Amino acid sequence: MAELTHFNTQGRAHMVDVTEKEVTCRRAAAAGEIRVSPETMAHIRQGTLNKGDVLAVAQVAGIQAAKHTWELIPMCHQVPLTGVNLTFSLGETAVEIRAEVTCTGVTGVEMEALSAVSAAALTIYDMCKAVQRDMEIGNIRLLEKSGGRSGTYSREE
């Protein structure tokens, strides 16, 4: 079992010191979904919600969330991101959200990818809540990561 690194010798939370870590190219991909009714999906597809283009706003929200993850998650480092991309797949009753985040640095970008997906899903909820309140956000997960000492991870789906 892996050792938890966010606790000091007294068992209190601390920010991990990454000073001595090697600078490498790091990448992470995450995904999640928001389940909506067919009526809400029709609004998303047709762009007929009063607040505007749902996916365009969710795209910007996801990028902003990735860039500001260090301000939201207490033990995250401020990471100089080199790329953030979100894509959306529309099903009959779900929007699948995927975020890919990259950097060249000393710590990974998994939390940034997960934050991007979460914020995009929350933004879709906010944009659509006038027509549906029982939407469900879920299945937010890390898909893959690469770079750094711990190597490559790829989720088996």
Side-chain angles (χ1 to χ4, degrees), residues 83-156:
V84 179
N85 187 38
L86 279 86
T87 55
F88 303 93
S89 298
L90 304 180
E92 287 184 35
T93 59
V95 178
E96 177 77 17
I97 305 157
R98 181 182 169 101
E100 295 185 22
V101 179
T102 56
C103 82
T104 302
V106 296
T107 189
V109 289
E110 299 96 286
M111 295 306 299
E112 287 74 9
L114 291 162
S115 293
V117 168
S118 300
L122 288 167
T123 299
I124 293 169
Y125 186 98
D126 179 55
M127 299 281 291
C128 297
K129 67 185 179 193
V131 295
Q132 183 182 358
R133 299 233 182 240
D134 64 347
M135 294 172 279
E136 294 180 11
I137 295 170
N139 201 20
I140 297 171
R141 67 227 181 257
L142 180 67
L143 298 175
E144 54 193 63
K145 65 82 84 192
S146 62
R149 189 172 51 216
S150 65
T152 300
Y153 164 81
S154 185
R155 181 184 188 90
E156 294 182 26

